[in-house]
Amino acid sequence: MLPPDDFDPTPGEPITLAPGLRRVLAPNPSPMTYRGTNTYLLGETDLAVIDPGPAIPDHLEAILAAVGTDQRISHILVTHSHVDHSPLARPLAERTGAPIHAFGGPEAGRSAVMKKLADKGLAGGGEGIDTAFSPDIVLADGDMIEGRGWELEVIHTPGHLGNHIALAWGSHCFTADHVMGWASSLVSPPDGDLTDFMAACRRLRARNWEIFHPGHGAPIEDPAGRLDWLIAHREAREAQIRAALAQEPGTAADLARRIYTDTPASLLPAAGRNVFAHLVDLHGRKLVSASPELAVEAVFHHAE
């Protein structure tokens, strides 16, 4: 996590970020959401609402109040179905008549290995899933969404969640929870997949961006630098895990205790989920083995 910044807007107040783009902060601050969820309003007349946010009535009214007399909400776009991003989509659709666009329901985009782990009973940790979420229009990678005066490109960016998308608006990109400036993204199996996360980071890195608009926190004015940091951060953690396994086999929980030596005991379970995400990725690349089989309680060995 980066040092504290001065990002502290007033919830519910629209803030202009660029011509045709405003942000309304939801009043749901927490250790997982920072100051709250960023809801974006894109357009001058026909507006796209990106990530309506959590089921907070006051936030719904704030979004509606931001719509001018000569404007209407024509599109509702949801980047992923965590409870801090998607639940307000349906109430907003009912109030405006605008359809909800998303990659799919809560399990859309889940990788084969994560499906297998989920089928065996592994449940997600960390941010809650909006299990009732269902879009009106299902998006696919590469789709173009158009409104009067704006156009968005859908980029499937699984990793934080299988149905996670980023939305490219010219040289700007709405990166939701995949790339944020105040913290690294949570990747917790079976909802999160580190192999997919790293691939999506590298895919975004291959393009030239001017600015990222994240799901939480301030705009990222050095997208390439932030992506380089995220990739290096995960690669450094991977190196720690491999070095620990070279010394002695262990479970994800064992490795978390050995690696996160300065972490309070109450946070070690979350650290264990992070280690397990890395172990699943390493297992898929045949750099570790799991006994008796790939599972959160398995004993992992460094592959020779």
Side-chain angles (χ1 to χ4, degrees):
M1 185 177 295
L2 298 177
D5 56 30
D6 59 359
F7 180 77
D8 196 17
T10 301
E13 290 189 5
I15 295 176
T16 298
L17 302 176
L21 177 63
R22 292 174 291 163
R23 181 189 64 223
V24 181
L25 180 70
N28 62 324
S30 77
M32 299 296 291
T33 61
Y34 196 36
R35 305 300 187 193
T37 300
N38 293 331
T39 295
Y40 296 100
L41 279 67
L42 177 65
E44 300 285 0
T45 54
D46 290 358
L47 305 180
V49 174
I50 300 172
D51 282 346
I56 298 176
D58 284 351
H59 189 52
L60 173 61
E61 297 306 322
I63 294 171
L64 294 170
V67 180
T69 56
D70 59 345
Q71 297 177 326
R72 71 182 184 103
I73 294 174
S74 60
H75 297 70
I76 299 169
L77 305 171
V78 174
T79 62
H80 63 294
S81 55
H82 273 144
V83 293
D84 54 325
H85 288 259
S86 60
L88 207 60
R90 187 55 60 192
L92 183 62
E94 292 171 352
R95 292 281 292 272
T96 64
I100 300 168
H101 300 66
F103 191 80
E107 296 183 4
R110 180 178 275 178
S111 65
V113 65
M114 294 304 162
K115 287 179 183 176
K116 188 174 181 180
L117 288 170
D119 289 345
K120 291 181 178 179
L122 180 65
E127 297 170 83
I129 302 293
D130 180 6
T131 56
F133 178 71
S134 178
D136 301 312
I137 297 174
V138 175
L139 301 173
D141 183 59
D143 281 353
M144 303 300 296
I145 308 166
E146 297 181 8
R148 187 177 301 174
W150 56 263
E151 183 178 70
L152 291 166
E153 176 193 352
V154 177
I155 305 173
H156 186 211
T157 50
H160 177 65
L161 194 62
N163 67 3
H164 194 289
I165 57 172
L167 296 163
W169 176 47
S171 63
H172 292 227
C173 190
F174 300 93
T175 54
D177 287 7
H178 196 87
V179 186
M180 300 179 289
W182 67 282
S184 59
S185 182
L186 175 72
V187 180
S188 180
D191 304 322
D193 185 311
L194 188 63
T195 305
D196 286 351
F197 179 83
M198 295 295 281
C201 281
R202 293 187 173 101
R203 183 181 180 196
L204 289 173
R205 183 64 179 86
R207 294 174 58 162
N208 292 320
W209 304 103
E210 177 184 354
I211 195 164
F212 282 168
H213 301 288
H216 309 276
I220 299 167
E221 297 180 352
D222 181 14
R226 186 57 179 165
L227 283 165
D228 287 345
W229 182 90
L230 281 172
I231 293 167
H233 172 70
R234 291 291 181 176
E235 288 178 339
R237 185 67 72 200
E238 174 187 305
Q240 286 182 306
I241 293 168
R242 294 187 68 188
L245 282 178
Q247 294 178 343
E248 183 182 357
T251 65
D254 294 335
L255 291 163
R257 285 190 291 269
R258 289 159 55 189
I259 293 168
Y260 290 81
T261 54
D262 296 327
T263 299
S266 62
L267 298 180
L268 282 175
R273 300 289 298 210
N274 185 52
V275 170
F276 183 59
H278 277 276
L279 290 167
V280 174
D281 174 63
L282 290 166
H283 187 269
R285 292 155 57 197
K286 302 188 185 306
L287 296 174
V288 304
S289 60
S291 179
E293 63 178 355
L294 182 63
V296 71
E297 66 277 6
V299 176
F300 290 86
H301 299 256
H302 193 277
E304 297 299 332

